[in-house]
Amino acid sequence: MAAVDDLVALDYTGASTNVRAALLMDQKDANAKDLKTAQENLTHAQADVAAVSGLTQAVSNLTAAQDNTVAAEAYVTPAQANVAGAAAAYNVLNKATVSVGEDGTVAGLIVLNDNGDLVLAKGVTETTNKGVTELLNASIAKEAADSGLVNAQDAEVAAQKVVNELDLTDTAKADLQAVGAKMGLADGALPTAAQIDSEIARLDKLVETTKATADLTDVVALAADATAAATDADAADAALTDAVALRADATAAAMYGLAPTFNPLLNTATRLHLCIRPIRGSLHRLLANIG
């Protein structure tokens, strides 16, 4: 029953016999509709491909190239393992610690000849160096696997390019070439979808960075304004201090009738201080947050 539950949208196992029959019928109808839709989509897609001259063959070539890449990849991993195993065996047999280079060579044992082929170094034989023949063959096989994968990948890229550009109009090609030029590609080069996506991502990041820089500039300007305002508030405090001192002087001079002149000045300074105090507190808090 568990297997049927996986195929039916609702609970099949816990239902009665009649409900099970109804569930199966409903699921059968739903599957038939899905299959019909999928077949129609496939037919339309095949028709679209057939409408473009040469596209059917181009898609076929691309599929074959993709299969070749997968097959080439399957040779690389075991080839690498064989090289590692051959090197380990050689080291055990000869009490050595050799390693294989990226190009397949082994210092003092395996070199590249004038044709670029891997061969044993002069004077090195299986007799003088046990296991060196197996190491050489494994290294050759690995280089062949690596080269085969690179060639397969290049062929796949070329096949994909044909599919991408086969149905392009002259206007579309010109537009893509213009985009490619702005991306810094070679003259006349058509950017791939992957290259365009990468460029868009780069530009989006640049926009974010630029916006962050602009926001920082605004914060710095705000801090400068707040600092200036705080300085003004400090000046007001100093004025109040001076006024208090003047009032003391005025009190001392009251006997001479000078107090009426100093009292209005002190009252004005006091009111100014009371207005500035809350503003100053807000500015100090703002500066602390910005800092």
Side-chain angles (χ1 to χ4, degrees):
M1 291 297 181
V4 178
D5 272 336
D6 293 337
L7 300 175
V8 177
L10 300 177
D11 180 16
Y12 181 84
T13 303
S16 65
T17 302
N18 291 337
V19 172
R20 289 177 185 173
L23 289 174
L24 286 175
M25 185 59 67
D26 289 344
Q27 192 63 49
K28 179 181 178 182
D29 291 342
N31 290 349
K33 291 178 181 178
D34 290 343
L35 177 60
K36 182 174 182 295
T37 299
Q39 289 174 330
E40 290 174 349
N41 291 339
L42 175 60
T43 300
H44 292 157
Q46 290 173 333
D48 290 340
V49 171
V52 180
S53 177
L55 185 56
T56 300
Q57 184 60 51
V59 171
S60 177
N61 293 342
L62 174 59
T63 301
Q66 292 170 336
D67 291 341
N68 290 339
T69 298
V70 173
E73 289 172 342
Y75 284 107
V76 172
T77 300
Q80 291 173 334
N82 288 340
V83 168
Y90 178 88
N91 287 334
V92 170
L93 290 172
N94 298 274
K95 296 181 180 180
T97 56
V98 303
S99 60
V100 180
E102 289 293 327
D103 59 355
T105 60
V106 178
L109 297 176
I110 299 174
V111 298
L112 291 169
N113 64 13
D114 294 339
N115 296 324
D117 300 324
L118 291 170
V119 296
L120 293 178
K122 185 176 181 180
V124 176
T125 66
E126 184 65 24
T127 302
T128 60
N129 300 79
K130 296 295 183 181
V132 73
T133 302
E134 180 182 354
L135 180 57
L136 171 63
N137 291 336
S139 187
I140 291 174
K142 176 187 176 297
E143 291 304 305
D146 289 344
S147 178
L149 177 58
V150 171
N151 292 337
Q153 291 171 333
D154 289 344
E156 182 179 344
V157 170
Q160 183 68 65
K161 186 174 185 294
V162 172
V163 171
N164 291 346
E165 300 176 6
L166 191 61
D167 194 32
L168 288 179
T169 63
D170 291 340
T171 300
K173 287 183 179 180
D175 290 341
L176 275 177
Q177 287 172 344
V179 171
K182 292 181 179 180
M183 291 170 57
L185 302 183
D187 291 342
L190 299 179
T192 65
Q195 288 175 317
I196 292 175
D197 288 341
S198 177
E199 179 69 5
I200 290 174
R202 186 188 71 80
L203 292 174
D204 285 342
K205 185 175 181 180
L206 180 61
V207 168
E208 292 176 1
T209 302
T210 303
K211 183 178 183 301
T213 301
D215 291 343
L216 179 60
T217 300
D218 292 340
V219 170
V220 172
L222 180 60
D225 292 341
T227 300
T231 300
D232 293 340
D234 290 338
D237 275 348
L240 177 62
T241 299
D242 293 341
V244 171
L246 283 174
R247 181 174 186 177
D249 294 340
T251 300
M255 66 184 64
Y256 299 106
L258 297 178
T261 301
F262 288 102
N263 285 336
L265 174 63
L266 176 61
N267 292 336
T268 300
T270 301
R271 287 194 296 272
L272 175 62
H273 175 70
L274 293 176
C275 292
I276 289 295
R277 181 184 295 170
I279 297 176
R280 185 186 182 204
S282 298
L283 288 173
H284 280 303
R285 287 193 296 274
L286 174 61
L287 286 173
N289 290 333
I290 292 176

